[in-house]
Amino acid sequence: MPAGAFWQSTNPHAMAKTSKRKEQSRHTGVQPWKGDFREPLSWQAVAILALLVAIMFREILVGTAYLWEDFLYFSYPVRNFAATSVAMGSIPLWNPYTLNGMPFLADIQTTVFYLPCLLLSLFTAGGRLSFYSLEFLVIAHYVLAGASMFSLARSFGMRNFSALFAGAAYMLSGFMIVHAIHQQIITMVAWYPLILLFFRNALTRNEWSWVFLAALVLGHSILAGYPQLSLYFYFFLFVYFLFELLTTYRGRGLLSRPALLAVLKAGTIVALSVAVAMIQLLPTYEMSGLSQRAQITYEKATEGTLAWSQILTLLFPKLFGTAGANGYNYWGPGTYWYFWETCIYLGFLPLLLALLSLVLVKKNKYAAFFWGYALFSLLFALGDNLFVHRLFFDFVPGFSTFRNPARMGIFLTFATALMSGFALNTLLHEERDARTTRRLLALLGGTIGVGVLVWLLVLSGSLTTTITSMRNAQQILSAVKKDALISLLMLVVSGVLLFALMRGIAVRAARVALIPVFFIDMLLFGGSQNNSTTDPKEYFGKTESLVRFFKEEGQSEIFRVNTRNSQGMIMDRNQGMIDRIYTMEGYTPLALQRVYAPLASVDQMYDLLNVKYKTVTNEQARGLSLARHETYFPRAFFLYRTHVVRGEEELLAYLKSPEFDHRTTAVFEKEPGFSLVPAAGEPEWRARVTAYQNNTIELDLSTDRDGVLVLSEIYYPGWKAYIDGKETEVLCTDYNLRGMFVPRGSHKGTVRFEPASFALGMWISLITLVVCGAGLAVPLLRSRRKAETQTAETQPAHR
C-alpha cells in the first residue's frame, strides 16, 4: 500500500467522497484550477526551502552576524570541548574545567554521540572548533526540518506545492526562529516530520525494514540532546498510534491479526529506539539523580508558561515586546527570556489556512487529529493557568522533571503546518460546493474581523486596562501600535490571497504569491532576531592576557580559578571548556547538587578546591580584579585523621562547626573500611600529579605513614582508583571530593573515570545497531537475490 494512501483507504468518508465526485455532474461551488500550475519537483521543492533558509540567515551565513545568547554561552563551549577532545582521540566522559569538574557525556545536552555533532571534530584547528561550522550545522537543520515536513505532507496525499508550503511553515515558524540560539532544540525537532513519516510507513506497509529505520532515526534524535522534547514526541507518537489504531480497527477488529501486528511494530520501534540511545540514556539517568534537577517544585516546573493574554500573539506577535540579539524590549509576563519560550507565532497564512482546515475535519481524519493535538498543545502550554499541565506533572512519568511547558508549542507549529497544507491542497485541487465555500469565507472573514477588532482595541488603548503589564506605559503602547499596524497589514494581505483562491480570482497570481507573502511575514517577525554583532573571537578573546597568564602558571602546577563573585565575572562562565582553564564556575542545566561545600568560610572552600586565584572587587577602580589565594591546597594532598558522620544533616552541621579542621581531617559519610593510627611528629608526604587528562589522572605518591589521599576533584560514581595497579575504593570526602586509602611507602597512583553506566549503555547501543542494521540489510539482500534469480530465468540458455 502506498504510504500516502493510508488515510484514503481506511477512511470511508474519503472513499465516499471520491465516488460521489465521479457521479456528481452539477457543481454549485468552485471547481479546482484546470490550468498548468507547474508543480515543483521534489528536488526543486527542497531547493526552494534551502533558499528561504539561506535568505533568512543570510547575515550569519556570510559572517557579518552571529548566533547569540545560549548559543554563545553554552552550546559553543560545550561543542568546542567535545569536538577538540574527539579530535585528540579521547571520548570526553568527564569535564574537569567547569564547576570544579563534572560528568560531560552524561549531561545529555552535550550531544557527544549525535552524528552531525560528532563530525564537527573534523572542523577543529589549533585546539578550537570553528564557530561558523556549528552555526552552519544548526542552519542546515532548518532545511532538514522543511524537507522532512515536505516529505511527510506528501505522504498524506498533498500535492507538491501544498507540501512545500507546509515545509516552509514548519521550518520558519516563530518557534523555530526564536529557538535558533538553542542548538539542541533545533537539531531535535528537525527530525520530527521524518520520524513520523517512517513511523506511519512502518504501520501501513508490510516491510519490517521501516520498523528498523524508524527506530534508528528516532533513537538518533534522542542523541540530539533535548530530553524534554524527546519525551513530548514519544507521547505524541503514542497518541497518534492510538488514533490510527482506533480509527482503523473497531470492536473485535482491535484483536485482529493486523491490529496486533501494528501494536507489535509500534512497541518494537519504541523499544529499539530507546536501546539505540542507551549509550547516552544510562549515563544521563545516573547523573539526573545526582543533579539539581533531580526534584523540582511545581512552581519551578511552570517557569516559561504561556499566559492567556499571550494567545493574542498569534495575531500580533510583538504585543508584549521582543527580546533578541539587538536588545531586550519585553514587557510581557515573566522575564525577558519568556519572549522566546512562549513564542507561538505561526505566520498569518499558516494560521488562516489551519483555521480553514476546520471544514475538512469530517472527511479527513488527519485534519481532525492534528486539530485536536494543536488544541491540546496550546492548553498544555498554559501551564499553571489551566489544569492540563498539572495533571501531567502529577500523574504522567517524566513530565515533572521539566520546566517551560510552553515548549509544547512546537506541536502547535507541527500540526498547523500540516493543517495549512491540507487546506491549501483543498483550495487548489479539490472541488467545493457552495456551502463549503461559504463556510470557508465565513472562517476567513471571522478571523480577519477578530484581528481588526484587536487592532482597534490596541489603537484605542483599551487593552491597557486588560493587560496588566501595559498599564501606565504610553511609550510601550506607542511601540505596540506600530508593530500591530504592520501585523494587521500582513493579516489583510494574507486574507486577500486566500479570498482570491476561494473565489477563483487570479488563482495563478495568488498561488505564486503565497510563499513570498508568508516569507515576508516571517522576515518582518524574526529576520533580525538572531543577528548578533558579537564576534565570538572577540568575545572570548577579551581575556586573552588573563588566559595566557593562567596557562603559563599552569605549566608548573595544576590549580583552579574562581572567576566570579557577586559583582560579576572576569571570564565567561563556560570559558574554562574553551581555553582548558580549571574553573569553579560554569553553566549547565544539569549541574550536580554537590558543587560547593557548605563550609564555615568561603576561604576554607577555596583551600579544598585548589583555588590559587580568586576574583575580588576593586573598590577604587570600581571593577573586578584577580587576587592570589595564599592558603590553597594542591590538587592532591594527604590527610591523617578521619571523622565519620551519619546522614547529610549531621554532615552539614559538622562541616560548619569549629571542630572541623579541613587541614587535617577527612570527613566520610560511611565507615571507610580502614583506620589510621596516630603517629608522633609531622607527617612527611608527596603527592605529585604526573599526567592529567579528561578521564585519567596519574600520580607519584609517597607517605611516611598510612593516610588518606584527597584529590581536589568532584566525587562521582564511576571514578576508580588504583594504587600500584591494585584497585582501592574511592570515597566521598569532605562533602564532594575524592579520597582513598594509601599505605605508607612510595606508590604509583592512577585514577580513571570508568562509569559502568557508559559501558553497559555502549554495549546495548552497539548490539541494537547491529540488529537494526541486519533488519535493514536482510530484506535488501533478499530482494537483490530475487531480482538476480528472475533475471537469470528470463535469459535464454547458451547453446
Side-chain angles (χ1 to χ4, degrees):
M1 180 189 302
F6 182 72
W7 79 267
Q8 293 178 340
S9 65
T10 58
N11 189 331
H13 297 292
M15 296 173 66
K17 175 182 181 296
T18 302
S19 59
K20 187 175 182 179
R21 181 185 299 162
K22 292 180 180 179
E23 298 172 0
Q24 188 174 12
S25 59
R26 184 172 58 89
H27 304 284
T28 57
V30 177
Q31 298 186 34
W33 172 259
K34 301 296 185 181
D36 181 15
F37 271 137
R38 295 185 181 180
E39 285 276 288
L41 301 175
S42 295
W43 72 266
Q44 292 173 324
V46 174
I48 292 171
L49 293 171
L51 178 62
L52 295 178
V53 171
I55 296 174
M56 176 64 74
F57 295 101
R58 62 194 181 282
E59 294 186 40
I60 295 173
L61 288 173
V62 299
T64 58
Y66 312 90
L67 291 177
W68 63 298
E69 238 279 342
D70 278 359
F71 190 88
L72 178 66
Y73 305 145
F74 177 73
S75 295
Y76 177 69
V78 164
R79 292 268 33 90
N80 180 83
F81 177 69
T84 54
S85 296
V86 172
M88 292 186 290
S90 169
I91 298 176
L93 300 177
W94 188 264
N95 164 28
Y97 300 109
T98 58
L99 294 169
N100 306 314
M102 62 173 295
F104 186 76
L105 178 140
D107 186 344
I108 193 169
Q109 293 198 60
T110 59
T111 62
V112 172
F113 287 112
Y114 180 62
L115 186 57
C117 287
L118 196 60
L119 294 175
L120 286 177
S121 59
L122 302 175
F123 299 91
T124 61
R128 286 287 182 92
L129 170 68
S130 163
F131 192 84
Y132 182 84
S133 66
L134 184 56
E135 290 179 314
F136 185 84
L137 178 144
V138 171
I139 294 171
H141 276 76
Y142 280 82
V143 182
L144 172 63
S148 298
M149 180 57 76
F150 170 81
S151 300
L152 176 63
R154 290 285 294 131
S155 78
F156 281 109
M158 295 182 206
R159 298 279 289 271
N160 276 6
F161 183 79
S162 302
L164 172 62
F165 186 88
Y170 182 63
M171 74 180 189
L172 294 180
S173 63
F175 182 99
M176 296 290 282
I177 290 174
V178 298
H179 282 291
I181 58 176
H182 299 128
Q183 168 220 314
Q184 295 81 357
I185 289 181
I186 298 302
T187 54
M188 160 66 69
V189 302
W191 294 99
Y192 279 4
L194 193 63
I195 295 169
L196 181 58
L197 173 62
F198 292 163
F199 188 78
R200 293 188 71 232
N201 286 350
L203 297 180
T204 59
R205 299 188 178 187
N206 293 327
E207 301 92 339
W208 270 77
S209 56
W210 288 108
V211 172
F212 297 108
L213 186 58
L216 281 173
V217 179
L218 179 56
H220 180 248
S221 75
I222 296 175
L223 302 179
Y226 219 82
Q228 179 179 18
L229 294 179
S230 289
L231 174 68
Y232 288 0
F233 192 63
Y234 272 97
F235 179 75
F236 167 78
L237 290 178
F238 173 71
V239 174
Y240 174 81
F241 170 73
L242 287 182
F243 176 81
E244 287 281 26
L245 191 68
L246 296 177
T247 55
T248 304
Y249 308 99
R250 302 178 185 277
R252 294 183 179 180
L254 290 172
L255 298 178
S256 65
R257 186 176 182 277
L260 295 177
L261 182 61
V263 174
L264 177 62
K265 286 183 174 181
T268 302
I269 291 172
V270 171
L272 289 177
S273 66
V274 173
V276 164
M278 275 298 178
I279 193 171
Q280 178 66 69
L281 292 178
L282 281 183
T284 299
Y285 177 76
E286 180 180 52
M287 183 183 181
S288 63
L290 301 171
S291 75
Q292 297 175 11
R293 291 288 186 92
Q295 290 183 337
I296 62 174
T297 63
Y298 183 66
E299 288 71 25
K300 183 70 174 178
T302 55
E303 289 181 353
T305 285
L306 184 73
W308 283 103
S309 57
Q310 288 177 294
I311 294 178
L312 292 174
T313 59
L314 286 169
L315 294 172
F316 298 99
K318 298 180 181 178
L319 184 62
F320 297 98
T322 62
N326 298 314
Y328 305 147
N329 190 26
Y330 178 77
W331 49 81
T335 59
Y336 72 93
W337 53 268
Y338 273 53
F339 173 75
W340 56 73
E341 291 297 355
T342 60
C343 180
I344 56 173
Y345 186 59
L346 307 164
F348 286 114
L349 276 171
L351 175 64
L352 292 173
L353 284 167
L355 290 170
L356 296 182
S357 71
L358 276 170
V359 301
L360 304 175
V361 295
K362 289 185 178 181
K363 60 181 180 181
N364 181 342
K365 72 175 187 177
Y366 292 110
F369 171 77
F370 286 112
W371 250 106
Y373 211 87
L375 289 175
F376 162 76
S377 302
L378 187 61
L379 297 178
F380 183 96
L382 290 167
D384 58 351
N385 294 309
L386 196 65
F387 64 89
V388 177
H389 176 260
R390 185 66 196 237
L391 289 176
F392 278 79
F393 182 88
D394 289 338
F395 300 110
V396 182
F399 280 81
S400 62
T401 310
F402 304 104
R403 60 192 183 112
N404 295 315
R407 286 178 186 161
M408 186 65 82
I410 181 58
F411 292 97
L412 176 64
T413 294
F414 187 91
T416 297
L418 286 170
M419 291 188 295
S420 66
F422 285 135
L424 187 58
N425 209 64
T426 297
L427 293 180
L428 293 177
H429 304 295
E430 295 185 13
E431 300 170 355
R432 303 185 304 278
D433 57 28
R435 181 184 178 188
T436 300
T437 300
R438 287 195 299 270
R439 292 172 64 191
L440 289 170
L441 289 171
L443 284 169
L444 180 64
T447 304
I448 295 176
V450 170
V452 172
L453 176 61
V454 174
W455 178 74
L456 290 174
L457 291 173
V458 170
L459 193 67
S460 66
S462 299
L463 281 181
T464 58
T465 62
T466 304
I467 303 176
T468 304
S469 59
M470 290 174 57
R471 291 177 182 171
N472 303 319
Q474 289 302 317
Q475 68 278 14
I476 290 177
L477 183 59
S478 176
V480 170
K481 288 180 180 179
K482 178 182 177 181
D483 288 324
L485 178 60
I486 296 173
S487 295
L488 180 67
L489 291 175
M490 291 305 306
L491 175 60
V492 171
V493 171
S494 301
V496 169
L497 287 179
L498 295 182
F499 178 81
L501 292 180
M502 290 181 198
R503 303 303 299 174
I505 304 170
V507 176
R508 185 190 300 275
R511 177 182 181 273
V512 169
L514 283 173
I515 290 180
V517 168
F518 164 72
F519 186 63
I520 290 171
D521 183 6
M522 302 317 295
L523 271 178
L524 290 172
F525 166 74
S528 61
Q529 170 70 23
N530 299 295
N531 294 339
S532 170
T533 58
T534 301
D535 187 330
K537 290 183 179 179
E538 295 179 1
Y539 178 77
F540 291 113
K542 289 185 299 184
T543 56
E544 182 179 359
S545 60
L546 197 59
V547 169
R548 190 184 308 114
F549 170 74
F550 290 146
K551 286 185 173 293
E552 290 174 356
E553 287 277 295
Q555 292 178 2
S556 58
E557 64 173 325
I558 297 175
F559 60 88
R560 197 168 278 120
V561 181
N562 159 238
T563 62
R564 69 186 302 172
N565 62 17
S566 60
Q567 304 301 313
M569 300 182 290
I570 60 170
M571 294 173 58
D572 183 78
R573 52 189 171 177
N574 279 327
Q575 193 163 350
M577 281 187 283
I578 295 176
D579 293 306
R580 298 191 175 243
I581 304 294
Y582 303 101
T583 65
M584 285 181 59
E585 292 75 33
Y587 167 73
T588 174
L590 210 60
L592 295 176
Q593 295 173 10
R594 293 191 175 188
V595 176
Y596 308 112
L599 301 176
S601 72
V602 69
D603 284 339
Q604 289 180 349
M605 181 177 67
Y606 288 163
D607 290 346
L608 289 173
L609 288 178
N610 179 225
V611 175
K612 184 177 181 179
Y613 294 100
K614 59 185 178 182
T615 299
V616 296
T617 302
N618 189 325
E619 298 293 348
Q620 293 181 344
R622 295 184 179 180
L624 301 178
S625 60
L626 202 64
R628 183 182 173 99
H629 180 67
E630 298 293 348
T631 58
Y632 72 101
F633 289 8
R635 185 58 62 97
F637 55 92
F638 276 93
L639 298 176
Y640 295 93
R641 295 179 182 176
T642 62
H643 181 84
V644 180
V645 296
R646 307 297 180 188
E648 188 162 353
E649 184 177 344
E650 183 180 339
L651 170 65
L652 298 179
Y654 181 76
L655 291 176
K656 295 179 180 180
S657 70
E659 183 183 351
F660 174 51
D661 184 353
H662 67 295
R663 294 185 172 277
T664 62
T665 305
V667 182
F668 301 126
E669 297 171 60
K670 68 173 187 176
E671 291 295 339
F674 60 84
S675 59
L676 300 181
V677 180
E682 287 294 321
E684 294 183 5
W685 58 268
R686 182 183 72 253
R688 185 171 62 91
V689 176
T690 57
Y692 195 109
Q693 298 175 330
N694 295 341
N695 310 322
T696 306
I697 304 172
E698 295 182 4
L699 306 106
D700 186 10
L701 305 172
S702 177
T703 175
D704 66 349
R705 65 196 72 178
D706 294 351
V708 176
L709 174 68
V710 180
L711 295 182
S712 182
E713 301 279 351
I714 294 296
Y715 173 84
Y716 188 81
W719 278 100
K720 296 183 178 180
Y722 303 87
I723 303 299
D724 297 329
K726 183 178 180 181
E727 184 174 355
T728 186
E729 184 179 8
V730 177
L731 299 166
C732 183
T733 307
D734 292 353
Y735 185 77
N736 62 349
L737 303 182
R738 299 174 212 156
M740 62 211 72
F741 173 74
V742 176
R744 57 187 257 174
S746 298
H747 308 279
K748 296 294 183 182
T750 303
V751 183
R752 287 197 293 265
F753 191 44
E754 300 173 331
S757 58
F758 171 72
L760 178 60
M762 179 183 64
W763 282 111
I764 293 175
S765 294
L766 288 175
I767 292 171
T768 308
L769 288 174
V770 171
V771 171
C772 290
L776 291 172
V778 170
L780 184 63
L781 292 175
R782 286 178 177 175
S783 62
R784 180 176 297 179
R785 289 175 182 173
K786 183 177 180 180
E788 292 174 351
T789 302
Q790 291 175 346
T791 301
E793 291 175 351
T794 57
Q795 291 178 347
H798 293 287
R799 295 183 178 179

